[in-house]
Amino acid sequence: MADERAPQTSVTPVVVPRRLDPEDAQLALQELQAILKRQEVVDALAQRQRDTEDEDGSNLLEGMLQRQHEGEIRQIVNALHPADIAFILESLPVHERQAIWQLVSAEFDADVLLEVEDWVRESLIESMDHEDLIAATGTMDADEIADLAPDLPAGIITEVQKGLTDAERAQLLAAMGYPEDTVGAIMDFDMVRVREDVTLEVVLRYLRRLHELPDHTDQIFVVDRHDLLRGTLSLSKLLLSEPDTLVNAVMEPDVLSLNPTDSDADAASAFERYDLVSAPVVDEQGRLIGRVTIDEVVDVLQEDSQEQQLSRAGLQEEDIFAPILAALRNRAPWLLVNLCTASTASFIASRFEDTVSHIVILAFLMSIVAGIGGNSGNQTMTMIIRAMATGRVTGANIWLLVKRELQVTFLVGTCGSLVAATFAWVISQSYAVALVMMAAMVGNMLIGAALGVLIPLLRDRFGKDPAMGSSVLLTFATDSIGFFLFLGLATVFLL
């Protein structure tokens, strides 16, 4: 009988790509914290057993459980993206962070070190031995090594340079020579460049010989024989134009180029304005020396945003699990300044003790005047600091901005003061108190708005961070002047 069964064919299994999801890191963090908690319990029980029973049996059980926990941790961590591993390390106390870091696969070391925040990277590098550091940095590009250089031991940099080519060594030294917060510090040396007098077919053959295109390649840079930048060739033009077309016929000659000494904030602003994915970096002679890509710009924007938020409170970036003394050094200075400013405001209020003792209701109303002035000033200050960050504030429009903010604040203050005056009349049954409340409130709001413009501008003029501690200075002014205005007017018109 003939075999009527269908012939057997081999079926290639379908590989489902792993979906990246930030929630995976959150879930992994919770699982790791549970495992670490279980390990703490095991350690505590083992220690208690060693104190009362056989030490060898206790050590055997403890070792078995520890190896089991380490296996679970390796399985969870090494299945994550390096950015998610970095998030987990940043979210753990120092001793737990070090324990997890020791179990991360060596193949992820370089990527994780580049992803973590500076305050975590330093502790991770300190825990790595010489060979591990050499292995991790040996897989990095010159610009990536330059990013880590401030945290790496000097001997590591010297040894890594021995494994670089002359061109890579020159790139590394150049990148390390640019100050932080400049384009040179974030530029990438890995890019594709072609001549303008070749055909697109030649360019395509050249690209096919490459193992892969550099990340975020949306355009090819066109240079002459002296590496002077002539224009850019977009990948869409390359793919859609006729192969025998010359590069100079389809390239874009008008190119936004950056200088390595430009501010990285200016570069980020340019990327935002012109919707760029990459931009060339040229030296003073116009020679192409690198490029800036969108991933670096996103990092710059995020860092600037975080720094601005911390600066408004008078803080610098710190490890949320740092020792108490380290956190104290970061937070205490501006808190002490704030204490001094609050004491000054209280001293001013104390000078009007007789006024407050005769009209007790003033003690309940004066905090409203001070608070609304501070809020008004903070609104203005937030707008001005944002405009300064985007380059919209210039010497020609400063006084126009002050005038505009005063006008807006006067209108808002007038409307708000009517509500405040009504409230003051309801609780005091005095039209005079209501009018004093109204006048003091408008006056303090105007002062807050003016200072909200001038404080960040003056700090910037003297080379200071416009956002650093500005809210503390503003609060000092609006509290002190608000108390003085309100109680001063009350002394003149109510007594």
Side-chain angles (χ1 to χ4, degrees), residues 405-428:
E405 289 300 321
L406 290 178
Q407 290 173 340
V408 171
T409 302
F410 178 77
L411 293 176
V412 174
T414 300
C415 296
S417 64
L418 290 174
V419 177
T422 302
F423 174 74
W425 176 80
V426 168
I427 65 174
S428 68

Side-chain angles (χ1 to χ4, degrees), residues 116-137:
V116 294
E117 298 287 352
D118 294 343
W119 43 270
V120 174
R121 183 186 301 129
E122 183 177 350
S123 64
L124 297 183
I125 289 177
E126 288 178 355
S127 68
M128 298 175 69
D129 57 34
H130 186 83
E131 289 74 19
D132 290 340
L133 281 174
I134 292 296
T137 53

Side-chain angles (χ1 to χ4, degrees), residues 474-491:
L474 177 66
T475 301
F476 160 63
T478 53
D479 283 357
S480 301
I481 297 175
F483 290 160
F484 181 79
L485 270 177
F486 183 55
L487 297 177
L489 290 173
T491 301

Side-chain angles (χ1 to χ4, degrees), residues 32-40 73 92 96 99-100:
L32 291 172
Q33 288 173 328
I35 295 173
L36 292 170
K37 190 66 176 178
R38 291 204 305 268
Q39 183 60 40
E40 287 183 9
I73 291 173
L92 292 172
E96 295 182 356
I100 298 296

Side-chain angles (χ1 to χ4, degrees), residues 115-432:
E115 290 286 350
V116 294
E117 298 287 352
D118 294 343
W119 43 270
V120 174
R121 183 186 301 129
E122 183 177 350
S123 64
L124 297 183
I125 289 177
E126 288 178 355
S127 68
M128 298 175 69
D129 57 34
H130 186 83
E131 289 74 19
D132 290 340
L133 281 174
I134 292 296
T137 53
T139 62
M140 297 180 185
D141 296 329
D143 57 298
E144 295 173 337
I145 298 174
D147 288 341
L148 296 187
D151 299 319
L152 292 174
I156 297 296
I157 296 294
T158 302
E159 192 160 344
V160 169
Q161 289 185 36
K162 296 177 182 178
L164 302 177
T165 64
D166 291 341
E168 291 172 336
R169 192 177 300 112
Q171 291 174 351
L172 174 59
L173 295 176
M176 292 173 59
Y178 293 112
E180 191 178 358
D181 299 332
T182 63
V183 167
I186 64 171
M187 71 177 175
D188 180 9
F189 298 103
D190 192 13
M191 56 191 167
V192 180
R193 65 183 87 193
V194 297
R195 298 283 178 81
E196 59 183 326
D197 55 354
V198 300
T199 64
L200 299 183
E201 176 62 29
V202 172
V203 176
L204 287 170
R205 288 203 303 269
Y206 167 68
L207 294 181
R208 293 189 189 103
R209 290 200 300 268
L210 300 177
H211 295 296
E212 60 181 354
L213 290 178
D215 293 338
H216 309 291
T217 297
D218 66 316
Q219 57 186 353
I220 298 171
F221 302 116
V222 182
V223 298
D224 63 13
R225 63 181 64 254
H226 302 292
D227 268 347
L228 295 176
L229 182 65
R230 294 302 185 189
T232 60
L233 173 63
S234 68
L235 292 184
S236 60
K237 286 283 184 67
L238 173 63
L239 296 174
L240 299 178
S241 301
E242 293 297 328
D244 57 351
T245 306
L246 290 176
V247 169
N248 59 14
V250 293
M251 73 178 188
E252 178 59 54
D254 297 326
V255 182
L256 172 74
S257 60
L258 304 171
N259 187 276
T261 59
D262 291 340
S263 166
D264 59 3
D266 292 339
S269 178
F271 269 69
E272 182 181 9
R273 183 179 303 170
Y274 299 114
D275 297 327
L276 301 177
V277 175
S278 66
V281 181
V282 299
D283 61 14
E284 298 296 340
Q285 288 74 39
R287 290 191 298 264
L288 180 66
I289 60 174
R291 65 170 184 152
V292 173
T293 54
I294 187 64
D295 59 325
E296 293 290 348
V297 169
V298 170
D299 290 342
V300 169
L301 291 173
Q302 184 178 15
E303 289 173 5
D304 288 348
S305 175
Q306 292 173 349
E307 288 177 2
Q308 189 176 106
Q309 292 174 3
L310 292 171
S311 295
R312 291 291 301 274
L315 294 175
Q316 295 178 341
E317 189 178 52
E318 74 172 38
D319 186 347
I320 58 174
F321 300 106
I324 294 177
L325 290 179
L328 184 63
R329 287 193 297 269
N330 184 22
R331 305 184 191 188
W334 278 103
L335 286 178
L336 293 176
V337 171
N338 199 5
L339 177 61
C340 294
T341 58
S343 300
T344 302
S346 298
F347 175 78
I348 291 174
S350 70
R351 300 299 90 192
F352 296 92
E353 181 180 359
D354 291 341
T355 303
V356 175
S357 63
H358 283 82
I359 311 174
V360 179
I361 196 66
L362 298 179
F364 302 98
L365 297 175
M366 63 182 186
S367 61
I368 298 177
V369 175
I372 201 67
N375 290 337
S376 174
N378 270 314
Q379 287 182 343
T380 299
M381 183 178 292
T382 300
M383 297 291 294
I384 294 300
I385 291 176
R386 174 58 183 163
M388 292 174 66
T390 56
R392 297 191 179 98
V393 177
T394 65
N397 62 17
I398 290 177
W399 294 111
L400 179 63
L401 287 172
V402 174
K403 180 180 178 181
R404 176 188 178 278
E405 289 300 321
L406 290 178
Q407 290 173 340
V408 171
T409 302
F410 178 77
L411 293 176
V412 174
T414 300
C415 296
S417 64
L418 290 174
V419 177
T422 302
F423 174 74
W425 176 80
V426 168
I427 65 174
S428 68
Q429 296 298 310
S430 170
Y431 288 106

Side-chain angles (χ1 to χ4, degrees), residues 94-116:
V94 177
H95 67 283
E96 295 182 356
R97 180 188 304 158
Q98 300 293 352
I100 298 296
W101 177 237
Q102 299 302 321
L103 301 176
V104 174
S105 176
E107 65 179 296
F108 298 132
D109 284 355
D111 291 330
V112 173
L113 287 175
L114 291 169
E115 290 286 350
V116 294

